[in-house]
Amino acid sequence: MECNGAQEHMLFGGAFSAVLPPDFQDVSDLREIPDNQEVFAHRWTDQSLIMELLEYQNEVADANAARYHFEDIASVNDASGQERSEVLSVEPIPKGQLALGECQSAWFLTGRQLVSKFNEEARNTVNIYMCLLRLPQFATEVLLTFNDPGAIDPSSSSAESVCLQPTAILDHVSPWSQEHFKVLMQTLQLHNPDIFV
């Protein structure tokens, strides 16, 4: 299945598949990634996509679960607190829009965090789009996160890396959009439930 240069990609050793956006780089080719994660970076921008298999949070109600994970990411990013972290919306995703039939409930969160890269002083405004797919029968939650920098501090290393790209390349680069993320979310399929064992 293809969509504007996007193509289906096997994930977690073939246990899942989904359509990934164009110009992605598998971060595991560059550094070690935990076994419960798949991480992809845009080749030319500072955008990234993360897919995580997480322990099901029994004590968190469906309607609060996406916010729970957003706040957990804020804590990891040292972006906790109202001045550094904001949830803009949380909406249920109709199951009919998903290829992952095993999903019991799904939620789409839009938020924003002020994040520093590599523990730098400079903080970048990152728009965060999250899709939480809850699979209680497997004691698992699948969390998809799209990190989309909105404003990069000039003193951040992110600004420097973008400046180093040749102008000819940047002129032809298409950043990932929310639509790319939604295609990933809608095409995610489970092929081997043994991954949860």
Side-chain angles (χ1 to χ4, degrees):
M1 181 175 182
E2 300 214 357
C3 171
N4 296 334
Q7 58 183 348
E8 192 167 48
H9 190 77
M10 302 310 289
L11 303 159
F12 293 103
F16 287 88
S17 69
V19 173
L20 294 177
D23 291 323
F24 74 82
Q25 181 161 28
D26 189 332
V27 174
S28 67
D29 293 340
L30 307 173
R31 60 180 167 85
E32 199 165 325
I33 298 296
D35 288 345
N36 71 316
Q37 291 184 358
E38 291 273 13
V39 182
F40 302 95
H42 192 295
R43 257 177 224 289
W44 309 110
T45 72
D46 219 29
Q47 296 171 311
S48 63
L49 290 166
I50 303 169
M51 179 179 174
E52 297 177 88
L53 304 181
L54 302 170
E55 184 179 344
Y56 188 82
Q57 300 297 317
N58 285 304
E59 74 285 0
V60 182
D62 283 350
N64 299 327
R67 190 180 292 268
Y68 169 88
H69 288 292
F70 179 82
E71 289 169 359
D72 188 50
I73 289 171
S75 176
V76 171
N77 286 340
D78 187 29
S80 296
Q82 289 183 330
E83 70 284 353
R84 291 184 179 174
S85 178
E86 181 183 17
V87 173
L88 302 175
S89 66
V90 182
E91 299 165 12
I93 304 168
K95 288 192 207 172
Q97 292 182 11
L98 302 170
L100 189 66
E102 297 81 2
C103 179
Q104 297 297 307
S105 77
W107 301 86
F108 192 90
L109 180 147
T110 302
R112 188 180 298 131
Q113 293 180 7
L114 281 172
V115 181
S116 63
K117 197 168 183 180
F118 310 125
N119 298 317
E120 297 171 342
E121 287 294 316
R123 287 187 176 270
N124 302 323
T125 302
V126 179
N127 298 313
I128 295 178
Y129 304 99
M130 292 173 54
C131 168
L132 181 66
L133 306 159
R134 306 199 89 192
L135 288 77
Q137 72 275 37
F138 298 120
T140 299
E141 302 188 324
V142 180
L143 181 64
L144 307 174
T145 306
F146 172 31
N147 297 302
D148 183 21
I152 295 177
D153 188 293
S155 59
S156 166
S157 60
S158 293
E160 189 177 306
S161 65
V162 171
C163 289
L164 290 174
Q165 300 297 348
T167 306
I169 288 176
L170 291 177
D171 286 347
H172 296 94
V173 166
S174 293
W176 292 337
S177 66
Q178 267 194 74
E179 286 310 306
H180 286 114
F181 183 57
K182 286 181 177 174
V183 168
L184 164 64
M185 170 184 97
Q186 291 167 350
T187 59
L188 182 70
Q189 293 182 74
L190 175 65
H191 300 288
N192 185 1
D194 290 347
I195 189 164
F196 303 121
V197 175

PDB file of all heavy atoms in Angstrom, residues 71-101:
ATOM      1  N   GLU A  71       1.611  13.206  29.711  1.00  0.00           N
ATOM      2  CA  GLU A  71       2.271  13.742  30.906  1.00  0.00           C
ATOM      3  C   GLU A  71       3.522  12.947  31.249  1.00  0.00           C
ATOM      4  O   GLU A  71       4.521  13.501  31.730  1.00  0.00           O
ATOM      5  CB  GLU A  71       1.278  13.767  32.072  1.00  0.00           C
ATOM      6  CG  GLU A  71       0.214  14.849  31.875  1.00  0.00           C
ATOM      7  CD  GLU A  71      -0.941  14.763  32.856  1.00  0.00           C
ATOM      8  OE1 GLU A  71      -0.944  13.846  33.709  1.00  0.00           O
ATOM      9  OE2 GLU A  71      -1.846  15.611  32.758  1.00  0.00           O
ATOM     10  N   ASP A  72       3.502  11.650  30.956  1.00  0.00           N
ATOM     11  CA  ASP A  72       4.691  10.827  31.175  1.00  0.00           C
ATOM     12  C   ASP A  72       5.823  11.278  30.248  1.00  0.00           C
ATOM     13  O   ASP A  72       6.973  11.399  30.669  1.00  0.00           O
ATOM     14  CB  ASP A  72       4.344   9.349  30.928  1.00  0.00           C
ATOM     15  CG  ASP A  72       5.474   8.421  31.331  1.00  0.00           C
ATOM     16  OD1 ASP A  72       5.990   8.560  32.458  1.00  0.00           O
ATOM     17  OD2 ASP A  72       5.861   7.566  30.517  1.00  0.00           O
ATOM     18  N   ILE A  73       5.497  11.550  28.981  1.00  0.00           N
ATOM     19  CA  ILE A  73       6.501  12.042  28.026  1.00  0.00           C
ATOM     20  C   ILE A  73       7.013  13.418  28.453  1.00  0.00           C
ATOM     21  O   ILE A  73       8.207  13.706  28.368  1.00  0.00           O
ATOM     22  CB  ILE A  73       5.917  12.083  26.597  1.00  0.00           C
ATOM     23  CG1 ILE A  73       5.726  10.655  26.070  1.00  0.00           C
ATOM     24  CG2 ILE A  73       6.806  12.888  25.648  1.00  0.00           C
ATOM     25  CD1 ILE A  73       4.950  10.574  24.768  1.00  0.00           C
ATOM     26  N   ALA A  74       6.102  14.267  28.955  1.00  0.00           N
ATOM     27  CA  ALA A  74       6.513  15.591  29.434  1.00  0.00           C
ATOM     28  C   ALA A  74       7.527  15.461  30.558  1.00  0.00           C
ATOM     29  O   ALA A  74       8.528  16.202  30.610  1.00  0.00           O
ATOM     30  CB  ALA A  74       5.292  16.385  29.906  1.00  0.00           C
ATOM     31  N   SER A  75       7.313  14.500  31.443  1.00  0.00           N
ATOM     32  CA  SER A  75       8.239  14.276  32.553  1.00  0.00           C
ATOM     33  C   SER A  75       9.612  13.844  32.023  1.00  0.00           C
ATOM     34  O   SER A  75      10.648  14.362  32.453  1.00  0.00           O
ATOM     35  CB  SER A  75       7.660  13.210  33.485  1.00  0.00           C
ATOM     36  OG  SER A  75       8.568  12.901  34.499  1.00  0.00           O
ATOM     37  N   VAL A  76       9.619  12.921  31.062  1.00  0.00           N
ATOM     38  CA  VAL A  76      10.883  12.459  30.455  1.00  0.00           C
ATOM     39  C   VAL A  76      11.592  13.615  29.743  1.00  0.00           C
ATOM     40  O   VAL A  76      12.822  13.731  29.782  1.00  0.00           O
ATOM     41  CB  VAL A  76      10.609  11.296  29.465  1.00  0.00           C
ATOM     42  CG1 VAL A  76      11.853  10.962  28.660  1.00  0.00           C
ATOM     43  CG2 VAL A  76      10.115  10.077  30.212  1.00  0.00           C
ATOM     44  N   ASN A  77      10.804  14.485  29.093  1.00  0.00           N
ATOM     45  CA  ASN A  77      11.362  15.626  28.346  1.00  0.00           C
ATOM     46  C   ASN A  77      11.699  16.819  29.234  1.00  0.00           C
ATOM     47  O   ASN A  77      12.088  17.873  28.735  1.00  0.00           O
ATOM     48  CB  ASN A  77      10.355  16.108  27.276  1.00  0.00           C
ATOM     49  CG  ASN A  77      10.270  15.165  26.097  1.00  0.00           C
ATOM     50  OD1 ASN A  77      11.163  14.361  25.865  1.00  0.00           O
ATOM     51  ND2 ASN A  77       9.182  15.259  25.342  1.00  0.00           N
ATOM     52  N   ASP A  78      11.534  16.658  30.561  1.00  0.00           N
ATOM     53  CA  ASP A  78      11.713  17.777  31.486  1.00  0.00           C
ATOM     54  C   ASP A  78      10.836  18.954  31.046  1.00  0.00           C
ATOM     55  O   ASP A  78      11.270  20.099  31.004  1.00  0.00           O
ATOM     56  CB  ASP A  78      13.195  18.191  31.567  1.00  0.00           C
ATOM     57  CG  ASP A  78      13.438  19.248  32.644  1.00  0.00           C
ATOM     58  OD1 ASP A  78      12.685  19.264  33.633  1.00  0.00           O
ATOM     59  OD2 ASP A  78      14.350  20.082  32.469  1.00  0.00           O
ATOM     60  N   ALA A  79       9.598  18.628  30.679  1.00  0.00           N
ATOM     61  CA  ALA A  79       8.668  19.655  30.196  1.00  0.00           C
ATOM     62  C   ALA A  79       7.370  19.625  30.999  1.00  0.00           C
ATOM     63  O   ALA A  79       6.312  19.995  30.514  1.00  0.00           O
ATOM     64  CB  ALA A  79       8.372  19.430  28.715  1.00  0.00           C
ATOM     65  N   SER A  80       7.460  19.176  32.253  1.00  0.00           N
ATOM     66  CA  SER A  80       6.266  19.135  33.096  1.00  0.00           C
ATOM     67  C   SER A  80       5.873  20.541  33.521  1.00  0.00           C
ATOM     68  O   SER A  80       6.698  21.446  33.574  1.00  0.00           O
ATOM     69  CB  SER A  80       6.528  18.267  34.331  1.00  0.00           C
ATOM     70  OG  SER A  80       6.764  16.934  33.944  1.00  0.00           O
ATOM     71  N   GLY A  81       4.590  20.701  33.856  1.00  0.00           N
ATOM     72  CA  GLY A  81       4.098  21.992  34.313  1.00  0.00           C
ATOM     73  C   GLY A  81       3.408  22.748  33.195  1.00  0.00           C
ATOM     74  O   GLY A  81       3.707  22.560  32.014  1.00  0.00           O
ATOM     75  N   GLN A  82       2.467  23.620  33.581  1.00  0.00           N
ATOM     76  CA  GLN A  82       1.641  24.322  32.599  1.00  0.00           C
ATOM     77  C   GLN A  82       2.437  25.210  31.659  1.00  0.00           C
ATOM     78  O   GLN A  82       2.058  25.394  30.500  1.00  0.00           O
ATOM     79  CB  GLN A  82       0.579  25.160  33.312  1.00  0.00           C
ATOM     80  CG  GLN A  82      -0.503  24.306  33.954  1.00  0.00           C
ATOM     81  CD  GLN A  82      -1.587  25.155  34.585  1.00  0.00           C
ATOM     82  OE1 GLN A  82      -1.328  26.255  35.041  1.00  0.00           O
ATOM     83  NE2 GLN A  82      -2.806  24.629  34.616  1.00  0.00           N
ATOM     84  N   GLU A  83       3.542  25.775  32.139  1.00  0.00           N
ATOM     85  CA  GLU A  83       4.302  26.692  31.282  1.00  0.00           C
ATOM     86  C   GLU A  83       5.122  25.948  30.228  1.00  0.00           C
ATOM     87  O   GLU A  83       5.569  26.542  29.253  1.00  0.00           O
ATOM     88  CB  GLU A  83       5.203  27.615  32.127  1.00  0.00           C
ATOM     89  CG  GLU A  83       6.389  26.946  32.814  1.00  0.00           C
ATOM     90  CD  GLU A  83       6.025  26.129  34.057  1.00  0.00           C
ATOM     91  OE1 GLU A  83       4.862  26.172  34.503  1.00  0.00           O
ATOM     92  OE2 GLU A  83       6.927  25.437  34.561  1.00  0.00           O
ATOM     93  N   ARG A  84       5.304  24.642  30.395  1.00  0.00           N
ATOM     94  CA  ARG A  84       6.125  23.869  29.448  1.00  0.00           C
ATOM     95  C   ARG A  84       5.352  22.773  28.724  1.00  0.00           C
ATOM     96  O   ARG A  84       5.902  22.126  27.833  1.00  0.00           O
ATOM     97  CB  ARG A  84       7.313  23.226  30.180  1.00  0.00           C
ATOM     98  CG  ARG A  84       8.338  24.224  30.661  1.00  0.00           C
ATOM     99  CD  ARG A  84       9.522  23.517  31.271  1.00  0.00           C
ATOM    100  NE  ARG A  84      10.538  24.459  31.711  1.00  0.00           N
ATOM    101  CZ  ARG A  84      11.629  24.120  32.378  1.00  0.00           C
ATOM    102  NH1 ARG A  84      11.847  22.847  32.677  1.00  0.00           N
ATOM    103  NH2 ARG A  84      12.515  25.027  32.739  1.00  0.00           N
ATOM    104  N   SER A  85       4.106  22.541  29.109  1.00  0.00           N
ATOM    105  CA  SER A  85       3.363  21.410  28.555  1.00  0.00           C
ATOM    106  C   SER A  85       1.881  21.751  28.503  1.00  0.00           C
ATOM    107  O   SER A  85       1.323  22.263  29.470  1.00  0.00           O
ATOM    108  CB  SER A  85       3.604  20.190  29.445  1.00  0.00           C
ATOM    109  OG  SER A  85       2.881  19.086  28.986  1.00  0.00           O
ATOM    110  N   GLU A  86       1.241  21.457  27.370  1.00  0.00           N
ATOM    111  CA  GLU A  86      -0.171  21.818  27.207  1.00  0.00           C
ATOM    112  C   GLU A  86      -0.872  20.793  26.315  1.00  0.00           C
ATOM    113  O   GLU A  86      -0.402  20.489  25.219  1.00  0.00           O
ATOM    114  CB  GLU A  86      -0.253  23.212  26.570  1.00  0.00           C
ATOM    115  CG  GLU A  86      -1.647  23.717  26.357  1.00  0.00           C
ATOM    116  CD  GLU A  86      -1.677  25.077  25.660  1.00  0.00           C
ATOM    117  OE1 GLU A  86      -0.653  25.478  25.055  1.00  0.00           O
ATOM    118  OE2 GLU A  86      -2.737  25.720  25.702  1.00  0.00           O
ATOM    119  N   VAL A  87      -1.984  20.259  26.800  1.00  0.00           N
ATOM    120  CA  VAL A  87      -2.844  19.393  25.984  1.00  0.00           C
ATOM    121  C   VAL A  87      -3.886  20.279  25.315  1.00  0.00           C
ATOM    122  O   VAL A  87      -4.599  21.017  25.987  1.00  0.00           O
ATOM    123  CB  VAL A  87      -3.526  18.309  26.838  1.00  0.00           C
ATOM    124  CG1 VAL A  87      -4.546  17.533  26.007  1.00  0.00           C
ATOM    125  CG2 VAL A  87      -2.500  17.359  27.436  1.00  0.00           C
ATOM    126  N   LEU A  88      -3.943  20.241  23.991  1.00  0.00           N
ATOM    127  CA  LEU A  88      -4.886  21.077  23.251  1.00  0.00           C
ATOM    128  C   LEU A  88      -6.212  20.368  23.002  1.00  0.00           C
ATOM    129  O   LEU A  88      -7.270  20.991  23.020  1.00  0.00           O
ATOM    130  CB  LEU A  88      -4.255  21.520  21.929  1.00  0.00           C
ATOM    131  CG  LEU A  88      -2.931  22.295  22.058  1.00  0.00           C
ATOM    132  CD1 LEU A  88      -2.332  22.566  20.705  1.00  0.00           C
ATOM    133  CD2 LEU A  88      -3.151  23.593  22.821  1.00  0.00           C
ATOM    134  N   SER A  89      -6.153  19.057  22.757  1.00  0.00           N
ATOM    135  CA  SER A  89      -7.400  18.305  22.537  1.00  0.00           C
ATOM    136  C   SER A  89      -7.155  16.810  22.687  1.00  0.00           C
ATOM    137  O   SER A  89      -6.033  16.327  22.469  1.00  0.00           O
ATOM    138  CB  SER A  89      -7.971  18.586  21.144  1.00  0.00           C
ATOM    139  OG  SER A  89      -7.108  18.077  20.145  1.00  0.00           O
ATOM    140  N   VAL A  90      -8.188  16.093  23.093  1.00  0.00           N
ATOM    141  CA  VAL A  90      -8.179  14.621  23.145  1.00  0.00           C
ATOM    142  C   VAL A  90      -9.514  14.163  22.574  1.00  0.00           C
ATOM    143  O   VAL A  90     -10.570  14.580  23.049  1.00  0.00           O
ATOM    144  CB  VAL A  90      -8.029  14.085  24.586  1.00  0.00           C
ATOM    145  CG1 VAL A  90      -7.985  12.556  24.568  1.00  0.00           C
ATOM    146  CG2 VAL A  90      -6.792  14.635  25.270  1.00  0.00           C
ATOM    147  N   GLU A  91      -9.430  13.318  21.545  1.00  0.00           N
ATOM    148  CA  GLU A  91     -10.664  12.864  20.886  1.00  0.00           C
ATOM    149  C   GLU A  91     -10.628  11.351  20.687  1.00  0.00           C
ATOM    150  O   GLU A  91      -9.568  10.788  20.385  1.00  0.00           O
ATOM    151  CB  GLU A  91     -10.789  13.520  19.502  1.00  0.00           C
ATOM    152  CG  GLU A  91     -10.861  15.035  19.523  1.00  0.00           C
ATOM    153  CD  GLU A  91     -10.610  15.638  18.149  1.00  0.00           C
ATOM    154  OE1 GLU A  91     -10.605  14.882  17.157  1.00  0.00           O
ATOM    155  OE2 GLU A  91     -10.418  16.862  18.083  1.00  0.00           O
ATOM    156  N   PRO A  92     -11.790  10.693  20.820  1.00  0.00           N
ATOM    157  CA  PRO A  92     -11.834   9.262  20.494  1.00  0.00           C
ATOM    158  C   PRO A  92     -11.699   9.058  18.989  1.00  0.00           C
ATOM    159  O   PRO A  92     -12.148   9.896  18.197  1.00  0.00           O
ATOM    160  CB  PRO A  92     -13.212   8.822  20.999  1.00  0.00           C
ATOM    161  CG  PRO A  92     -14.027  10.075  21.030  1.00  0.00           C
ATOM    162  CD  PRO A  92     -13.088  11.219  21.256  1.00  0.00           C
ATOM    163  N   ILE A  93     -11.067   7.967  18.597  1.00  0.00           N
ATOM    164  CA  ILE A  93     -10.937   7.614  17.178  1.00  0.00           C
ATOM    165  C   ILE A  93     -11.915   6.476  16.900  1.00  0.00           C
ATOM    166  O   ILE A  93     -11.849   5.428  17.549  1.00  0.00           O
ATOM    167  CB  ILE A  93      -9.503   7.150  16.838  1.00  0.00           C
ATOM    168  CG1 ILE A  93      -8.482   8.218  17.220  1.00  0.00           C
ATOM    169  CG2 ILE A  93      -9.385   6.788  15.360  1.00  0.00           C
ATOM    170  CD1 ILE A  93      -7.039   7.718  17.188  1.00  0.00           C
ATOM    171  N   PRO A  94     -12.843   6.654  15.965  1.00  0.00           N
ATOM    172  CA  PRO A  94     -13.774   5.561  15.629  1.00  0.00           C
ATOM    173  C   PRO A  94     -13.011   4.329  15.144  1.00  0.00           C
ATOM    174  O   PRO A  94     -12.084   4.434  14.339  1.00  0.00           O
ATOM    175  CB  PRO A  94     -14.628   6.159  14.507  1.00  0.00           C
ATOM    176  CG  PRO A  94     -14.483   7.649  14.636  1.00  0.00           C
ATOM    177  CD  PRO A  94     -13.105   7.875  15.171  1.00  0.00           C
ATOM    178  N   LYS A  95     -13.391   3.163  15.673  1.00  0.00           N
ATOM    179  CA  LYS A  95     -12.683   1.923  15.315  1.00  0.00           C
ATOM    180  C   LYS A  95     -12.738   1.650  13.827  1.00  0.00           C
ATOM    181  O   LYS A  95     -11.837   1.024  13.262  1.00  0.00           O
ATOM    182  CB  LYS A  95     -13.266   0.748  16.088  1.00  0.00           C
ATOM    183  CG  LYS A  95     -12.899   0.759  17.558  1.00  0.00           C
ATOM    184  CD  LYS A  95     -13.275  -0.578  18.178  1.00  0.00           C
ATOM    185  CE  LYS A  95     -13.557  -0.398  19.660  1.00  0.00           C
ATOM    186  NZ  LYS A  95     -14.097  -1.602  20.264  1.00  0.00           N
ATOM    187  N   GLY A  96     -13.792   2.132  13.158  1.00  0.00           N
ATOM    188  CA  GLY A  96     -13.924   1.925  11.722  1.00  0.00           C
ATOM    189  C   GLY A  96     -12.836   2.602  10.905  1.00  0.00           C
ATOM    190  O   GLY A  96     -12.640   2.274   9.730  1.00  0.00           O
ATOM    191  N   GLN A  97     -12.108   3.547  11.519  1.00  0.00           N
ATOM    192  CA  GLN A  97     -11.029   4.240  10.814  1.00  0.00           C
ATOM    193  C   GLN A  97      -9.692   3.522  10.960  1.00  0.00           C
ATOM    194  O   GLN A  97      -8.683   3.964  10.408  1.00  0.00           O
ATOM    195  CB  GLN A  97     -10.883   5.672  11.363  1.00  0.00           C
ATOM    196  CG  GLN A  97     -12.054   6.570  11.046  1.00  0.00           C
ATOM    197  CD  GLN A  97     -11.841   7.991  11.560  1.00  0.00           C
ATOM    198  OE1 GLN A  97     -10.751   8.361  11.979  1.00  0.00           O
ATOM    199  NE2 GLN A  97     -12.888   8.786  11.513  1.00  0.00           N
ATOM    200  N   LEU A  98      -9.675   2.410  11.712  1.00  0.00           N
ATOM    201  CA  LEU A  98      -8.408   1.729  12.012  1.00  0.00           C
ATOM    202  C   LEU A  98      -8.366   0.332  11.397  1.00  0.00           C
ATOM    203  O   LEU A  98      -9.363  -0.377  11.373  1.00  0.00           O
ATOM    204  CB  LEU A  98      -8.231   1.612  13.532  1.00  0.00           C
ATOM    205  CG  LEU A  98      -8.242   2.921  14.320  1.00  0.00           C
ATOM    206  CD1 LEU A  98      -8.299   2.626  15.812  1.00  0.00           C
ATOM    207  CD2 LEU A  98      -7.023   3.770  13.976  1.00  0.00           C
ATOM    208  N   ALA A  99      -7.169  -0.048  10.933  1.00  0.00           N
ATOM    209  CA  ALA A  99      -6.967  -1.417  10.442  1.00  0.00           C
ATOM    210  C   ALA A  99      -6.688  -2.377  11.598  1.00  0.00           C
ATOM    211  O   ALA A  99      -6.794  -3.585  11.440  1.00  0.00           O
ATOM    212  CB  ALA A  99      -5.808  -1.452   9.443  1.00  0.00           C
ATOM    213  N   LEU A 100      -6.334  -1.840  12.768  1.00  0.00           N
ATOM    214  CA  LEU A 100      -6.007  -2.666  13.934  1.00  0.00           C
ATOM    215  C   LEU A 100      -7.304  -3.088  14.627  1.00  0.00           C
ATOM    216  O   LEU A 100      -7.772  -2.451  15.571  1.00  0.00           O
ATOM    217  CB  LEU A 100      -5.097  -1.877  14.894  1.00  0.00           C
ATOM    218  CG  LEU A 100      -4.491  -2.660  16.059  1.00  0.00           C
ATOM    219  CD1 LEU A 100      -3.504  -3.713  15.552  1.00  0.00           C
ATOM    220  CD2 LEU A 100      -3.803  -1.719  17.040  1.00  0.00           C
ATOM    221  N   GLY A 101      -7.877  -4.181  14.140  1.00  0.00           N
ATOM    222  CA  GLY A 101      -9.172  -4.642  14.634  1.00  0.00           C
ATOM    223  C   GLY A 101      -9.149  -5.072  16.095  1.00  0.00           C
ATOM    224  O   GLY A 101     -10.188  -5.110  16.754  1.00  0.00           O
TER     225      GLY A 101
END
